[in-house]
Amino acid sequence: MVEPTQLPNAPITEALLDIQVKLPAGTDLAKLATFHEGLKQRYPSKQERVSWRGSIEIKAKPVAHFPQSAEGGPDGYLFTAVDGRQIVQTRLDGFTFSRLKPYEKWETLRDEAQELWQRYVRIASPEAVTRIALRYINRIEIPLPMRDFKDYILTTPEIAPDLPQRLESFFMRLVIPDPQSQAVTIVTETMEPIGESSDRLPWILDIDVFRVAVFNPQDQAMWESFEHLRILKNDIFFKSITPKAKELFQ
Amino acid sequence: MSVATIRAPRALQYVSAFGMSQDAKVIAVQWEETEQHYWLPVSRRPQTDVKIFQALVEAWRQEVQFLSSVTEMSLHPAYQRIIGMGASVLPLLLRELENRPDHWFWALTAITGVDPVQPADRGKIEKMSEAWLKWGKEQELSW
Protein backbone atom coordinates (compact mmCIF):
# COMPACT_ATOMS: atom_id res chain seq x y z
CA MET A 1 0.00 0.00 0.00
CA VAL A 2 1.13 3.53 -0.74
CA GLU A 3 1.58 5.83 2.23
CA PRO A 4 -1.38 8.24 2.07
CA THR A 5 -0.44 11.86 1.57
CA GLN A 6 -2.55 14.81 2.59
CA LEU A 7 -2.69 17.09 -0.44
CA PRO A 8 -3.15 20.78 0.37
CA ASN A 9 -5.07 21.40 -2.83
CA ALA A 10 -6.73 18.01 -3.39
CA PRO A 11 -8.52 17.64 -6.75
CA ILE A 12 -11.59 16.04 -5.13
CA THR A 13 -14.78 17.62 -6.42
CA GLU A 14 -17.05 15.17 -4.63
CA ALA A 15 -16.57 12.55 -1.95
CA LEU A 16 -19.45 10.34 -1.01
CA LEU A 17 -20.21 7.56 1.39
CA ASP A 18 -22.97 5.19 0.39
CA ILE A 19 -24.78 2.46 2.32
CA GLN A 20 -27.34 0.17 0.72
CA VAL A 21 -29.87 -1.46 3.00
CA LYS A 22 -32.79 -3.79 3.27
CA LEU A 23 -35.66 -1.97 4.94
CA PRO A 24 -38.57 -3.70 6.67
CA ALA A 25 -41.50 -4.45 4.38
CA GLY A 26 -43.97 -1.60 4.30
CA THR A 27 -41.47 1.19 4.91
CA ASP A 28 -42.70 4.15 2.91
CA LEU A 29 -41.59 7.60 1.81
CA ALA A 30 -43.58 9.29 4.57
CA LYS A 31 -41.34 7.59 7.10
CA LEU A 32 -38.19 8.67 5.26
CA ALA A 33 -39.48 12.24 5.12
CA THR A 34 -39.32 12.44 8.92
CA PHE A 35 -35.53 12.36 8.59
CA HIS A 36 -35.76 16.12 8.12
CA GLU A 37 -37.18 16.73 11.58
CA GLY A 38 -34.51 18.24 13.81
CA LEU A 39 -32.22 18.70 10.83
CA LYS A 40 -33.82 21.71 9.14
CA GLN A 41 -31.32 24.19 10.54
CA ARG A 42 -28.32 22.39 9.05
CA TYR A 43 -29.97 20.92 5.95
CA PRO A 44 -32.82 23.29 5.09
CA SER A 45 -33.49 22.17 1.52
CA LYS A 46 -35.60 19.07 0.93
CA GLN A 47 -36.24 17.58 -2.52
CA GLU A 48 -37.88 14.43 -3.72
CA ARG A 49 -35.69 11.98 -5.54
CA VAL A 50 -37.18 10.07 -8.46
CA SER A 51 -35.45 7.11 -10.01
CA TRP A 52 -36.38 5.94 -13.46
CA ARG A 53 -34.60 2.75 -14.40
CA GLY A 54 -31.09 3.95 -13.78
CA SER A 55 -31.74 7.62 -14.47
CA ILE A 56 -32.29 9.92 -11.55
CA GLU A 57 -34.28 13.11 -11.36
CA ILE A 58 -34.64 15.55 -8.56
CA LYS A 59 -38.12 17.02 -8.24
CA ALA A 60 -39.26 19.87 -6.05
CA LYS A 61 -42.75 18.37 -6.03
CA PRO A 62 -44.02 14.82 -6.28
CA VAL A 63 -44.53 13.46 -9.78
CA ALA A 64 -48.27 13.06 -10.23
CA HIS A 65 -48.46 11.56 -13.67
CA PHE A 66 -46.87 8.18 -13.19
CA PRO A 67 -47.82 5.38 -10.89
CA GLN A 68 -44.91 4.05 -8.88
CA SER A 69 -43.79 0.77 -10.37
CA ALA A 70 -40.90 -1.64 -10.41
CA GLU A 71 -39.46 0.41 -13.26
CA GLY A 72 -39.15 3.58 -11.21
CA GLY A 73 -40.79 6.39 -9.29
CA PRO A 74 -40.10 8.45 -6.16
CA ASP A 75 -37.67 6.53 -3.98
CA GLY A 76 -36.44 9.00 -1.37
CA TYR A 77 -35.32 12.48 -0.47
CA LEU A 78 -32.32 14.75 -0.73
CA PHE A 79 -31.46 17.21 1.99
CA THR A 80 -28.94 19.94 1.23
CA ALA A 81 -26.89 21.94 3.72
CA VAL A 82 -27.08 25.74 3.92
CA ASP A 83 -23.89 26.24 1.88
CA GLY A 84 -24.90 23.59 -0.67
CA ARG A 85 -21.68 21.67 -0.04
CA GLN A 86 -23.18 18.71 1.83
CA ILE A 87 -26.07 16.61 0.64
CA VAL A 88 -27.63 13.60 2.28
CA GLN A 89 -29.92 11.19 0.47
CA THR A 90 -32.34 8.96 2.33
CA ARG A 91 -33.85 6.33 0.08
CA LEU A 92 -35.88 3.18 0.27
CA ASP A 93 -32.74 1.30 -0.73
CA GLY A 94 -30.18 3.19 1.31
CA PHE A 95 -28.34 6.26 2.42
CA THR A 96 -25.72 8.48 0.78
CA PHE A 97 -23.76 11.39 2.15
CA SER A 98 -21.95 13.66 -0.34
CA ARG A 99 -19.39 16.34 0.34
CA LEU A 100 -18.69 18.70 -2.56
CA LYS A 101 -15.47 20.70 -2.95
CA PRO A 102 -13.65 22.00 -1.06
CA TYR A 103 -12.94 18.63 0.51
CA GLU A 104 -11.59 18.85 4.02
CA LYS A 105 -10.53 15.47 5.31
CA TRP A 106 -11.76 11.92 5.69
CA GLU A 107 -12.44 12.23 9.41
CA THR A 108 -14.81 15.17 8.86
CA LEU A 109 -16.68 13.32 6.12
CA ARG A 110 -16.91 10.10 8.12
CA ASP A 111 -18.08 11.77 11.34
CA GLU A 112 -20.85 13.74 9.64
CA ALA A 113 -21.94 10.66 7.68
CA GLN A 114 -21.90 8.59 10.83
CA GLU A 115 -24.15 11.01 12.70
CA LEU A 116 -26.61 11.22 9.80
CA TRP A 117 -26.55 7.45 9.38
CA GLN A 118 -27.56 6.98 13.03
CA ARG A 119 -30.51 9.28 12.38
CA TYR A 120 -31.46 7.20 9.30
CA VAL A 121 -31.23 3.99 11.35
CA ARG A 122 -33.50 5.47 14.01
CA ILE A 123 -36.24 6.42 11.57
CA ALA A 124 -36.01 3.63 8.97
CA SER A 125 -34.84 0.70 11.15
CA PRO A 126 -32.98 -1.13 8.36
CA GLU A 127 -32.91 -4.89 8.78
CA ALA A 128 -29.45 -5.17 7.26
CA VAL A 129 -26.77 -3.32 5.36
CA THR A 130 -26.08 -5.07 2.07
CA ARG A 131 -23.40 -2.95 0.40
CA ILE A 132 -21.09 -0.12 1.40
CA ALA A 133 -19.16 2.22 -0.89
CA LEU A 134 -16.87 5.21 -0.98
CA ARG A 135 -16.72 7.22 -4.16
CA TYR A 136 -14.22 10.02 -4.79
CA ILE A 137 -14.49 12.09 -7.95
CA ASN A 138 -11.31 13.97 -8.82
CA ARG A 139 -10.90 16.66 -11.44
CA ILE A 140 -7.31 16.94 -12.55
CA GLU A 141 -6.60 20.02 -14.65
CA ILE A 142 -3.64 19.01 -16.79
CA PRO A 143 -1.65 22.02 -18.10
CA LEU A 144 -1.43 22.34 -21.89
CA PRO A 145 0.48 21.82 -24.08
CA MET A 146 1.19 18.30 -22.94
CA ARG A 147 3.37 15.60 -24.45
CA ASP A 148 1.68 12.49 -23.07
CA PHE A 149 -1.21 11.77 -20.68
CA LYS A 150 1.16 9.45 -18.86
CA ASP A 151 3.18 12.42 -17.67
CA TYR A 152 0.30 12.92 -15.22
CA ILE A 153 -2.00 9.88 -15.19
CA LEU A 154 -0.77 6.30 -15.25
CA THR A 155 -4.00 4.50 -16.23
CA THR A 156 -5.02 5.94 -19.58
CA PRO A 157 -6.61 4.79 -22.83
CA GLU A 158 -4.11 3.80 -25.50
CA ILE A 159 -4.41 4.14 -29.25
CA ALA A 160 -2.47 1.67 -31.40
CA PRO A 161 0.89 3.28 -32.19
CA ASP A 162 0.40 3.31 -35.97
CA LEU A 163 -2.86 5.23 -35.71
CA PRO A 164 -3.22 9.02 -35.37
CA GLN A 165 -2.71 9.87 -31.71
CA ARG A 166 -5.19 12.73 -31.39
CA LEU A 167 -8.04 12.04 -28.98
CA GLU A 168 -11.18 14.19 -28.84
CA SER A 169 -12.96 12.36 -26.06
CA PHE A 170 -13.02 9.04 -24.27
CA PHE A 171 -14.88 7.20 -21.55
CA MET A 172 -13.09 4.40 -19.72
CA ARG A 173 -14.44 2.22 -16.94
CA LEU A 174 -12.43 -0.48 -15.19
CA VAL A 175 -13.83 -2.88 -12.62
CA ILE A 176 -10.97 -4.11 -10.43
CA PRO A 177 -11.60 -6.77 -7.77
CA ASP A 178 -9.44 -7.00 -4.67
CA PRO A 179 -9.90 -10.58 -3.39
CA GLN A 180 -7.97 -9.87 -0.20
CA SER A 181 -10.36 -7.22 1.08
CA GLN A 182 -13.37 -8.59 -0.84
CA ALA A 183 -13.80 -5.10 -2.25
CA VAL A 184 -14.24 -4.03 -5.83
CA THR A 185 -13.13 -0.74 -7.33
CA ILE A 186 -14.72 0.89 -10.32
CA VAL A 187 -12.32 3.38 -11.86
CA THR A 188 -14.01 5.65 -14.36
CA GLU A 189 -12.01 8.14 -16.38
CA THR A 190 -13.09 10.68 -18.91
CA MET A 191 -12.13 14.12 -20.11
CA GLU A 192 -14.16 17.20 -20.79
CA PRO A 193 -13.82 18.91 -24.18
CA ILE A 194 -11.07 21.52 -24.21
CA GLY A 195 -12.13 25.07 -25.04
CA GLU A 196 -10.20 26.80 -27.83
CA SER A 197 -8.62 29.28 -25.47
CA SER A 198 -8.20 26.84 -22.61
CA ASP A 199 -4.75 26.05 -21.27
CA ARG A 200 -5.94 23.08 -19.20
CA LEU A 201 -7.31 19.65 -19.97
CA PRO A 202 -9.94 18.64 -17.41
CA TRP A 203 -9.39 14.94 -16.65
CA ILE A 204 -11.95 13.28 -14.41
CA LEU A 205 -10.77 10.37 -12.30
CA ASP A 206 -13.65 8.73 -10.46
CA ILE A 207 -12.75 6.05 -7.91
CA ASP A 208 -15.69 4.07 -6.55
CA VAL A 209 -14.70 1.42 -4.01
CA PHE A 210 -17.39 -0.87 -2.67
CA ARG A 211 -17.92 -4.06 -0.77
CA VAL A 212 -20.97 -6.28 -0.99
CA ALA A 213 -21.46 -7.80 2.46
CA VAL A 214 -24.13 -8.04 5.12
CA PHE A 215 -23.60 -5.87 8.19
CA ASN A 216 -25.70 -5.18 11.22
CA PRO A 217 -26.70 -1.50 10.79
CA GLN A 218 -25.57 -0.72 14.35
CA ASP A 219 -22.36 -2.68 14.13
CA GLN A 220 -18.98 -0.96 14.31
CA ALA A 221 -17.66 -3.56 11.85
CA MET A 222 -19.24 -1.62 9.01
CA TRP A 223 -17.25 1.50 9.91
CA GLU A 224 -14.07 -0.53 10.20
CA SER A 225 -14.77 -1.81 6.71
CA PHE A 226 -15.16 1.77 5.51
CA GLU A 227 -11.66 2.48 6.84
CA HIS A 228 -10.35 -0.36 4.67
CA LEU A 229 -12.20 0.98 1.65
CA ARG A 230 -10.63 4.37 2.24
CA ILE A 231 -7.13 2.85 2.34
CA LEU A 232 -7.86 1.02 -0.92
CA LYS A 233 -9.23 4.20 -2.50
CA ASN A 234 -6.10 6.14 -1.51
CA ASP A 235 -3.88 3.37 -2.81
CA ILE A 236 -5.61 3.47 -6.18
CA PHE A 237 -5.51 7.25 -6.38
CA PHE A 238 -1.86 7.68 -5.47
CA LYS A 239 -0.75 4.83 -7.73
CA SER A 240 -2.75 6.32 -10.62
CA ILE A 241 -0.98 9.68 -10.70
CA THR A 242 2.61 10.76 -11.28
CA PRO A 243 4.80 13.02 -9.11
CA LYS A 244 4.19 15.71 -11.75
CA ALA A 245 0.44 15.45 -11.15
CA LYS A 246 0.98 15.60 -7.40
CA GLU A 247 2.76 18.92 -7.86
CA LEU A 248 -0.50 20.34 -9.21
CA PHE A 249 -2.16 19.70 -5.87
CA GLN A 250 0.42 21.40 -3.67
CA MET B 1 -3.11 -7.85 -16.88
CA SER B 2 -5.59 -10.72 -16.50
CA VAL B 3 -9.34 -10.92 -16.63
CA ALA B 4 -10.86 -11.67 -13.25
CA THR B 5 -13.61 -14.21 -12.84
CA ILE B 6 -16.28 -12.95 -10.53
CA ARG B 7 -18.44 -15.40 -8.67
CA ALA B 8 -22.19 -14.88 -8.80
CA PRO B 9 -22.13 -11.64 -10.77
CA ARG B 10 -24.95 -9.28 -10.00
CA ALA B 11 -25.29 -6.32 -12.31
CA LEU B 12 -26.60 -4.08 -9.56
CA GLN B 13 -23.36 -4.42 -7.64
CA TYR B 14 -21.78 -2.21 -10.24
CA VAL B 15 -24.24 0.65 -10.05
CA SER B 16 -22.27 3.55 -8.64
CA ALA B 17 -23.64 5.63 -5.84
CA PHE B 18 -25.41 8.66 -7.24
CA GLY B 19 -23.10 11.69 -7.13
CA MET B 20 -24.28 15.29 -6.85
CA SER B 21 -21.35 17.29 -8.24
CA GLN B 22 -20.96 18.73 -11.74
CA ASP B 23 -18.24 16.19 -12.48
CA ALA B 24 -20.54 13.36 -11.39
CA LYS B 25 -23.04 14.64 -13.97
CA VAL B 26 -20.35 14.75 -16.67
CA ILE B 27 -19.62 11.08 -15.98
CA ALA B 28 -23.32 10.19 -15.92
CA VAL B 29 -23.94 11.91 -19.27
CA GLN B 30 -20.95 10.26 -20.91
CA TRP B 31 -21.96 6.90 -19.47
CA GLU B 32 -25.45 7.41 -20.87
CA GLU B 33 -24.08 8.32 -24.29
CA THR B 34 -21.85 5.26 -24.29
CA GLU B 35 -24.71 3.08 -23.16
CA GLN B 36 -27.04 4.49 -25.83
CA HIS B 37 -24.43 3.91 -28.50
CA TYR B 38 -24.08 0.32 -27.33
CA TRP B 39 -27.83 -0.35 -27.24
CA LEU B 40 -28.65 1.31 -30.55
CA PRO B 41 -28.59 -1.85 -32.69
CA VAL B 42 -31.92 -3.65 -32.44
CA SER B 43 -30.15 -6.89 -31.58
CA ARG B 44 -28.80 -5.43 -28.34
CA ARG B 45 -31.84 -3.47 -27.24
CA PRO B 46 -33.13 -4.62 -23.86
CA GLN B 47 -36.74 -5.69 -23.68
CA THR B 48 -37.35 -3.37 -20.74
CA ASP B 49 -36.87 -0.28 -22.93
CA VAL B 50 -39.77 -1.46 -25.04
CA LYS B 51 -41.93 -1.97 -21.98
CA ILE B 52 -41.14 1.46 -20.57
CA PHE B 53 -41.81 3.03 -23.94
CA GLN B 54 -45.15 1.29 -24.30
CA ALA B 55 -46.20 2.30 -20.78
CA LEU B 56 -45.31 5.92 -21.51
CA VAL B 57 -47.15 5.87 -24.84
CA GLU B 58 -50.28 4.55 -23.18
CA ALA B 59 -50.04 7.08 -20.33
CA TRP B 60 -49.60 9.87 -22.85
CA ARG B 61 -52.50 8.74 -25.05
CA GLN B 62 -54.87 8.53 -22.11
CA GLU B 63 -53.93 11.87 -20.65
CA VAL B 64 -53.82 13.99 -23.80
CA GLN B 65 -56.91 12.57 -25.50
CA PHE B 66 -58.94 15.67 -24.68
CA LEU B 67 -56.20 18.18 -25.52
CA SER B 68 -56.21 20.00 -28.83
CA SER B 69 -52.93 21.87 -28.49
CA VAL B 70 -49.98 19.99 -29.95
CA THR B 71 -47.68 22.07 -27.75
CA GLU B 72 -49.49 20.93 -24.61
CA MET B 73 -49.42 17.35 -25.83
CA SER B 74 -45.71 17.57 -26.46
CA LEU B 75 -44.98 19.09 -23.08
CA HIS B 76 -46.72 16.26 -21.28
CA PRO B 77 -44.25 14.54 -18.90
CA ALA B 78 -44.71 11.11 -20.53
CA TYR B 79 -43.93 12.60 -23.93
CA GLN B 80 -40.88 14.36 -22.52
CA ARG B 81 -39.70 11.13 -20.91
CA ILE B 82 -39.91 9.43 -24.28
CA ILE B 83 -37.71 12.17 -25.72
CA GLY B 84 -35.37 11.65 -22.78
CA MET B 85 -34.97 7.98 -23.71
CA GLY B 86 -33.00 9.22 -26.69
CA ALA B 87 -32.09 7.60 -29.96
CA SER B 88 -32.75 4.07 -28.68
CA VAL B 89 -36.51 4.66 -29.04
CA LEU B 90 -36.40 5.90 -32.64
CA PRO B 91 -37.43 2.56 -34.15
CA LEU B 92 -40.19 2.26 -31.52
CA LEU B 93 -41.48 5.73 -32.38
CA LEU B 94 -41.44 4.93 -36.08
CA ARG B 95 -43.30 1.68 -35.47
CA GLU B 96 -45.85 3.59 -33.41
CA LEU B 97 -46.18 6.17 -36.18
CA GLU B 98 -46.70 3.45 -38.76
CA ASN B 99 -49.35 1.59 -36.74
CA ARG B 100 -51.16 4.46 -35.04
CA PRO B 101 -50.15 7.82 -36.56
CA ASP B 102 -50.11 10.53 -33.94
CA HIS B 103 -48.19 13.64 -32.89
CA TRP B 104 -44.76 12.06 -32.48
CA PHE B 105 -43.09 14.59 -34.78
CA TRP B 106 -41.86 16.94 -32.08
CA ALA B 107 -40.22 14.00 -30.28
CA LEU B 108 -38.64 12.73 -33.48
CA THR B 109 -37.20 16.14 -34.28
CA ALA B 110 -36.02 16.62 -30.71
CA ILE B 111 -34.19 13.30 -30.74
CA THR B 112 -32.75 13.42 -34.24
CA GLY B 113 -32.26 17.15 -34.79
CA VAL B 114 -33.82 16.89 -38.26
CA ASP B 115 -37.24 17.55 -39.74
CA PRO B 116 -37.95 15.76 -43.02
CA VAL B 117 -41.52 17.12 -43.33
CA GLN B 118 -42.17 19.44 -46.26
CA PRO B 119 -43.60 22.83 -45.21
CA ALA B 120 -46.71 22.21 -47.30
CA ASP B 121 -47.43 18.99 -45.37
CA ARG B 122 -47.32 20.46 -41.88
CA GLY B 123 -50.46 19.72 -39.90
CA LYS B 124 -51.31 16.69 -42.06
CA ILE B 125 -50.60 13.74 -39.82
CA GLU B 126 -50.58 11.14 -42.57
CA LYS B 127 -48.23 13.10 -44.81
CA MET B 128 -45.96 13.93 -41.89
CA SER B 129 -45.89 10.28 -40.84
CA GLU B 130 -45.00 9.22 -44.36
CA ALA B 131 -42.12 11.71 -44.42
CA TRP B 132 -40.73 10.34 -41.15
CA LEU B 133 -41.13 6.71 -42.16
CA LYS B 134 -39.32 7.48 -45.41
CA TRP B 135 -36.59 9.20 -43.42
CA GLY B 136 -36.28 6.17 -41.12
CA LYS B 137 -35.83 3.86 -44.11
CA GLU B 138 -33.21 6.18 -45.56
CA GLN B 139 -31.34 5.95 -42.25
CA GLU B 140 -31.57 2.16 -42.52
CA LEU B 141 -33.46 1.93 -39.26
CA SER B 142 -35.55 -1.18 -38.82
CA TRP B 143 -38.68 -1.36 -36.73
Side-chain angles (χ1 to χ4, degrees), chain A residues 11 13-14 16-18 20 49-50 52-53 55-59 63 65-66 71 78 87 89 91 96 98 100 130-131 133 135 137-139 169-171 173 175 177 184 186 188 190-193 204-206 208 210 212, chain B residues 1-7 10-35 39 46-49 51-53 55-56 59-60 63 76-79 81 84-85:
Chain A
T13 54
E14 178 170 4
L16 65 81
L17 183 151
D18 181 74
Q20 289 183 11
R49 185 184 183 282
V50 178
W52 187 259
R53 200 184 153 265
S55 301
I56 309 294
E57 286 182 22
I58 313 302
K59 298 275 183 189
V63 177
H65 293 89
F66 299 102
E71 299 285 3
L78 287 105
I87 299 146
Q89 299 176 45
R91 300 182 308 272
T96 306
S98 292
L100 306 185
T130 55
R131 180 190 189 272
R135 184 177 174 195
I137 302 173
N138 301 276
R139 183 187 182 86
S169 74
F170 76 93
F171 184 82
R173 186 172 185 262
V175 179
V184 178
I186 301 176
T188 307
T190 188
M191 64 186 236
E192 276 195 48
I204 299 172
L205 171 61
D206 176 353
D208 188 350
F210 68 90
V212 176
Chain B
M1 195 190 323
S2 63
V3 175
T5 308
I6 298 162
R7 277 175 298 164
R10 286 196 305 139
L12 283 177
Q13 287 181 10
Y14 303 109
V15 175
S16 299
F18 179 61
M20 301 300 301
S21 59
Q22 190 54 41
D23 288 339
K25 285 176 195 157
V26 170
I27 288 172
V29 167
Q30 296 211 14
W31 169 252
E32 201 171 320
E33 282 175 10
T34 308
E35 193 190 20
W39 290 119
Q47 188 62 22
T48 45
D49 263 358
K51 285 183 185 165
I52 292 170
F53 175 83
L56 290 169
W60 179 75
E63 295 189 34
H76 186 277
Y79 195 95
R81 280 191 186 277
M85 290 174 80

Side-chain angles (χ1 to χ4, degrees), chain A residues 33 35-47 78-90 95-100 108-109 111-117 119:
Chain A
F35 183 86
H36 208 197
E37 288 167 17
L39 205 63
K40 289 177 184 166
Q41 291 282 334
R42 285 160 57 202
Y43 290 83
S45 162
K46 174 186 168 193
Q47 288 170 288
L78 287 105
F79 306 95
T80 307
V82 181
D83 64 0
R85 304 281 180 212
Q86 299 192 153
I87 299 146
V88 57
Q89 299 176 45
T90 58
F95 162 97
T96 306
F97 174 69
S98 292
R99 167 73 204 188
L100 306 185
T108 314
L109 174 90
D111 293 351
E112 181 77 358
Q114 215 161 8
E115 190 221 312
L116 295 166
W117 165 250
R119 189 181 286 268

Side-chain angles (χ1 to χ4, degrees), chain B:
Chain B
M1 195 190 323
S2 63
V3 175
T5 308
I6 298 162
R7 277 175 298 164
R10 286 196 305 139
L12 283 177
Q13 287 181 10
Y14 303 109
V15 175
S16 299
F18 179 61
M20 301 300 301
S21 59
Q22 190 54 41
D23 288 339
K25 285 176 195 157
V26 170
I27 288 172
V29 167
Q30 296 211 14
W31 169 252
E32 201 171 320
E33 282 175 10
T34 308
E35 193 190 20
Q36 279 185 10
H37 181 79
Y38 179 81
W39 290 119
L40 204 53
V42 172
S43 57
R44 289 195 198 133
R45 202 166 304 135
Q47 188 62 22
T48 45
D49 263 358
V50 178
K51 285 183 185 165
I52 292 170
F53 175 83
Q54 286 167 346
L56 290 169
V57 167
E58 291 315 314
W60 179 75
R61 279 187 182 282
Q62 277 186 18
E63 295 189 34
V64 303
Q65 59 182 319
F66 300 115
L67 294 180
S68 56
S69 158
V70 176
T71 306
E72 276 186 60
M73 290 182 193
S74 307
L75 291 174
H76 186 277
Y79 195 95
Q80 292 295 314
R81 280 191 186 277
I82 288 170
I83 293 174
M85 290 174 80
S88 65
V89 296
L90 276 178
L92 301 174
L93 274 174
L94 292 172
R95 189 194 300 166
E96 188 66 26
L97 207 55
E98 190 170 59
N99 295 337
R100 298 188 292 180
D102 213 326
H103 291 283
W104 295 113
F105 314 112
W106 183 331
L108 286 163
T109 298
I111 293 170
T112 62
V114 300
D115 186 358
V117 177
Q118 295 297 318
D121 293 336
R122 295 202 189 290
K124 301 169 189 165
I125 288 188
E126 274 193 25
K127 291 275 185 195
M128 292 171 84
S129 301
E130 278 172 22
W132 272 105
L133 294 171
K134 182 168 173 278
W135 174 88
K137 283 174 187 153
E138 285 166 2
Q139 307 305 311
E140 297 181 354
L141 292 172
S142 51
W143 60 87

